[in-house]
Amino acid sequence: MVDLFPSREAGRFGRRLKRVRGARIAVTVLTGFLGAGKTTLLLRFLATAEGKGTAVIINEFGSVGIDDALVRGAADEVTLLGNGCLCCNTRSDLEIALRNLVAERDRGAVPQFQRIVIETSGLADPGPILQTFVTDRALGGAFHVEIVATLVDAGYGSATLQRAAEARKQVILADRLIVTKTDLAAARAVGRLNARLGALNPRAGIAKAIDGKLEPRCLMEADADSDSAGKAAVRTGFIDEAEHSDDIVSFVVTDDRPVPWDAFARAMETLIALRGADLLRVKGFLNVIGCRGPVVIQAVQHLAHPPVELAQWPSADRRSRLVFITKNIREAEVRRLFDTVRALAADVRATKR
């Protein structure tokens, strides 16, 4: 079996990582389908001089927040809207979060910020989010949406656009399109993807980001020559809202015990080999035996990102917790696989003693 997760010992995870118009507050809506690289890009942006003074609102589809814990140390303030996406849940959650951020800033409870980034769930339709700022006069007077930036994975983007209405909607509503992971895709495939993106949204500029590296202004302002009037018409929401397919599910696998790395890696390799196409996203923290901090796990379909050990846990919770977003893969099946491989690994270790 090919080693998708080649690290076999705690010491091989690499270096531990640390994690304006008028009076209105500029808002950047950061969207993109599952696994496109939104959190990586956001972390890079927050580390720049331009990213200072940014508050973040993160919306996750799963019931356990992972992205907010990764971002929390880099942003002035992070608010998590969990267990659903903003296009499905009542948008009052977003309205309340925005108002609370401003109120807390005004009374000094949080640092001063000049910009808010809303990172949407990978399954979210940005349309209702934009409608919130149009239909709520109070929000419209306090905030303005400066730019909608949509990330598209160079490797899986074309296939995703073909099958997922949510992904097409994200592209159509974008002010700027950002193609990610071009170093992992053939140049011809990237060219076809760019052509497809241009056909879906001829008004948006297309940028390229590798490992989250992007000119900060790409998340702060739309292209000067973009068709703002045309986008304003689109933003009013006259596009049918996307409906999530019934066969897409989200669940969380947790474990109170430290995990042997070899057993976890083999279980994930088996799952990816057999059902990679239906493994839309896996992300989370793993409490690996011998590691001081959590090991960050991320996988998208057949691609597993190199695991990274953080210098410390983001909270007192030391449980392993992995969020799965899958198509036609059930939680019970994944749990059985992990339990079986772990039991077999324990038997092997016992026979060697």
Side-chain angles (χ1 to χ4, degrees):
M1 184 178 294
V2 177
D3 281 343
L4 294 173
F5 294 94
S7 300
R8 288 287 173 256
E9 298 176 3
R12 296 182 182 175
F13 291 119
R15 182 172 59 88
R16 292 189 182 98
L17 302 178
K18 296 180 178 179
R19 34 137 225 167
V20 183
R21 292 179 184 172
R24 292 192 296 170
I25 299 171
V27 175
T28 296
V29 178
L30 185 62
T31 186
F33 203 70
L34 300 165
K38 296 185 292 297
T39 302
T40 298
L41 192 79
L42 177 56
L43 282 168
R44 290 276 193 181
F45 172 72
L46 293 174
T48 65
E50 293 85 350
K52 301 302 180 185
T54 298
V56 178
I57 295 176
I58 293 181
N59 175 225
E60 298 210 49
F61 187 64
S63 60
V64 173
I66 299 299
D67 289 346
D68 73 301
L70 294 173
V71 173
R72 194 167 295 280
D76 287 329
E77 179 64 17
V78 175
T79 298
L80 173 67
L81 302 179
N83 201 23
C85 71
L86 291 173
C87 68
C88 295
N89 288 350
T90 173
R91 295 196 299 273
S92 62
D93 290 348
L94 175 60
E95 296 168 5
I96 292 170
L98 289 166
R99 291 193 177 96
N100 286 343
L101 277 175
V102 174
E104 290 174 357
R105 183 192 66 170
D106 291 345
R107 69 170 184 265
V110 301
Q112 292 292 314
F113 57 85
Q114 294 76 47
R115 174 175 298 275
I116 294 177
V117 174
I118 301 174
E119 181 190 338
T120 74
S121 157
L123 295 173
D125 169 9
I129 301 172
L130 299 175
Q131 283 180 325
T132 300
F133 293 93
V134 175
T135 58
D136 189 310
R137 287 190 176 183
L139 286 182
F143 306 91
H144 73 276
V145 177
E146 185 75 53
I147 182 172
V148 178
T150 296
L151 276 62
V152 183
D153 186 320
Y156 298 110
S158 294
T160 300
L161 290 170
Q162 182 67 29
R163 74 171 190 275
E166 299 94 336
R168 294 191 294 273
K169 184 75 71 62
Q170 291 165 359
V171 169
I172 290 170
L173 289 174
D175 298 312
R176 175 170 283 105
L177 299 168
I178 302 169
V179 180
T180 63
K181 308 177 188 178
T182 54
D183 56 324
L184 302 177
R188 183 175 299 178
V190 175
R192 287 197 298 267
L193 174 61
N194 286 344
R196 174 65 170 147
L197 296 175
L200 283 171
N201 186 346
R203 300 176 302 278
I206 300 178
K208 180 175 70 173
I210 298 177
D211 194 26
K213 296 178 181 177
L214 182 72
E215 174 65 33
R217 71 167 187 84
C218 290
L219 293 183
M220 301 177 69
E221 57 188 42
D223 292 330
D225 59 350
S226 63
D227 181 2
S228 57
K231 277 197 285 290
V234 173
R235 283 183 178 176
T236 58
F238 294 110
I239 299 177
D240 292 340
E241 293 190 9
E243 294 183 0
H244 302 157
S245 303
D246 291 338
D247 49 6
I248 294 180
V249 297
S250 173
F251 54 87
V252 183
V253 175
T254 61
D255 198 329
D256 296 326
R257 304 163 296 170
V259 176
W261 174 254
D262 56 349
F264 169 79
R266 290 308 183 196
M268 277 300 301
E269 287 162 1
T270 300
L271 182 59
I272 291 174
L274 295 177
R275 299 295 302 275
D278 297 324
L279 207 59
L280 301 181
R281 188 77 192 276
V282 180
K283 58 182 177 180
F285 299 131
L286 204 66
N287 185 353
V288 175
I289 294 174
C291 288
R292 186 176 66 192
V295 175
V296 179
I297 301 298
Q298 297 197 59
V300 179
Q301 296 185 321
H302 292 284
L303 177 64
H305 294 247
V308 175
E309 181 187 356
L310 300 184
Q312 60 186 8
W313 286 84
S315 70
D317 188 354
R318 299 293 194 270
R319 294 176 303 158
S320 296
R321 46 199 188 272
L322 296 177
V323 177
F324 286 78
I325 302 176
T326 67
K327 183 176 181 180
N328 289 323
I329 302 177
R330 302 302 169 188
E331 179 179 355
E333 298 168 346
V334 174
R335 290 186 178 277
R336 282 197 298 268
L337 172 61
F338 277 89
D339 290 343
T340 300
V341 174
R342 184 164 185 165
L344 288 172
D347 289 343
V348 170
R349 288 194 296 272
T351 59
K352 289 182 178 179
R353 293 194 182 104

